[in-house]
Amino acid sequence: MTTTSLRAEIESFLIAGRFTISRGSKTEARVIRVELQQDGIIGQGECVPYSRYGETLEATLETILSLAPQLASGLDRTTLQSALPPGAARNAIDCAFWDLEAKRAGTDVAKLANILPPARIETAYTISLDTPDAMAEAATRHAHMPLLKLKLGAPGDADRLAAIRAAVPNSRLVVDANEGWQPSELQTLLRAAHNAGIELVEQPLPAGNDALLAEIEHTVPICADESAHALAGLDQLVGRYDAVNVKLDKTGGLTEALAVAQRAKELNLAIMVGCMVSTSLSMAPASLVAPFARWVDLDGPLLLAADRPNGLAYTDGAIDPGVNRLWGRYA
């Protein structure tokens, strides 16, 4: 029997400037990198524990390392799905298994998963929450990007929308409120988003307090993020949401992310594939969900001061999946 050995560690990457959403700001991205080794071949994965979901770096790392005996005894990617719940810990190990399997088979993950990735993936670029003028200025500087994602969820969002649209009249825009809108202001802000030509509003109300979404007119399509994690609960989103943001740190890896994408299609839910602020080691597996997605938000490395070596190639907001020596490809 092939023995699988495990290595995992916390790593830090500086953010270029400051990343701000309705829940706070940060200047550093902290991730956990996992290595799985079999017969001298190494597969790797990355995850970002998220405090919003009760995860911490230390506890997630402990959970990952606790699986070392089971991995050494034969735990594989299939049995991993029941060994850990959806979340960051399972994501890093799941993606490391995919990388390892591709390298052992002398192929790439896309072929293993029977996916034909597009030659070019256009990704959103995130504009952090700030004053209307500051966000308008940032949008102007990045107007060459194919899609801008606006972080909102604070008083004055209608003013932000108006200022940004005036600054970039021809840009495609989506909004992420990060649960920051109040039910009493929801319809007013959705009208403001409609008037500003917004394509999608992500998670306007807090998860668990979003029943109102089934009762109002969706003047702009509404996407679930904090309300949508994995396969469990996906069906309950129908009627409240028009789309779902698939993130591997929520689904617990690429394996369940692909299952979520398939089920969302069956439920007529559009897909956004998203990410945390992290490196190309997180973006590469997430990019395999892009063929199923209407909106792609995989700009994590663009928000960092420096990505990992051999990461994905970004040109004016477009990813070239063919330029990737970091993950998922036999070399």
Side-chain angles (χ1 to χ4, degrees):
M1 181 180 68
T2 300
T3 299
T4 305
S5 62
L6 168 71
R7 183 172 179 268
E9 61 182 346
I10 296 172
E11 298 179 338
S12 298
F13 294 84
L14 290 177
I15 291 173
R18 182 180 297 273
F19 182 77
T20 301
I21 66 173
S22 61
R23 282 189 286 270
S25 300
K26 61 181 181 180
T27 57
E28 181 182 49
R30 302 190 72 197
V31 307
I32 297 175
R33 186 173 67 90
V34 166
E35 288 185 358
L36 299 179
Q37 183 174 154
Q38 294 178 354
D39 302 324
I41 300 174
I42 295 174
Q44 58 179 343
E46 179 180 286
C47 70
V48 182
Y50 194 26
S51 60
R52 170 64 182 82
Y53 306 136
E55 298 175 328
T56 66
L57 282 157
E58 294 74 18
T60 301
L61 179 61
E62 183 178 349
T63 296
I64 291 169
L65 294 174
S66 73
L67 283 187
Q70 295 179 60
L71 289 162
S73 299
L75 183 77
D76 59 13
R77 182 168 56 82
T78 299
T79 51
L80 171 68
Q81 307 309 311
S82 57
L84 288 179
R90 196 177 80 186
N91 176 33
I93 301 174
D94 181 82
C95 291
F97 263 126
W98 278 106
D99 190 32
L100 181 64
E101 291 167 23
K103 290 173 179 174
R104 289 185 65 90
T107 184
D108 59 63
V109 172
K111 291 180 180 177
L112 284 180
N114 196 28
I115 294 170
L116 182 63
R120 185 175 185 269
I121 301 172
E122 291 189 346
T123 179
Y125 180 83
T126 302
I127 305 296
S128 284
L129 179 64
D130 209 325
T131 65
D133 287 345
M135 292 185 72
E137 192 275 331
T140 301
R141 282 189 285 111
H142 296 96
H144 62 287
M145 296 292 190
L147 177 65
L148 297 179
K149 180 173 181 175
L150 314 176
K151 288 291 187 179
L152 300 181
D157 278 348
D159 293 335
R160 292 182 179 91
L161 287 168
I164 293 165
R165 176 49 80 198
V168 287
N170 299 316
S171 292
R172 295 177 57 212
L173 304 175
V174 295
V175 158
D176 185 3
N178 283 115
E179 305 178 278
W181 290 357
Q182 299 300 315
S184 60
E185 64 182 355
L186 177 62
Q187 290 182 295
T188 297
L189 289 172
L190 285 176
R191 282 196 296 271
H194 173 77
N195 292 339
I198 302 300
E199 295 184 16
L200 187 74
V201 171
E202 194 177 340
Q203 199 66 46
L205 298 178
N209 191 28
D210 56 3
L212 178 62
L213 298 179
E215 303 172 9
I216 65 166
E217 180 185 3
H218 291 200
T219 52
V220 177
I222 300 175
C223 179
D225 184 3
E226 287 85 352
S227 289
H229 291 257
L231 274 173
L234 192 63
D235 290 38
Q236 282 66 56
L237 301 178
V238 176
R240 297 185 182 187
Y241 292 96
D242 308 292
V244 57
N245 189 337
V246 179
K247 292 179 180 174
L248 272 60
D249 277 312
K250 295 189 301 179
T251 65
L254 178 61
T255 301
E256 186 149 343
L258 295 174
V260 168
Q262 177 59 42
R263 182 58 182 156
K265 181 180 179 181
E266 295 168 357
L267 296 171
N268 291 317
L269 290 169
I271 293 171
M272 167 183 276
V273 56
C275 67
M276 307 297 286
V277 183
S278 48
T279 78
S280 281
L281 187 53
S282 288
M283 303 306 119
S287 71
L288 294 182
V289 185
F292 308 95
R294 185 178 301 176
W295 301 274
V296 175
D297 178 25
L298 298 178
D299 63 344
L302 297 179
L303 306 175
L304 301 176
D307 191 11
R308 294 184 186 275
N310 301 317
L312 297 179
Y314 288 81
T315 305
D316 292 333
I319 305 169
D320 180 355
V323 181
N324 167 29
R325 292 181 291 153
L326 181 62
W327 180 91
R329 179 161 301 189
Y330 177 75

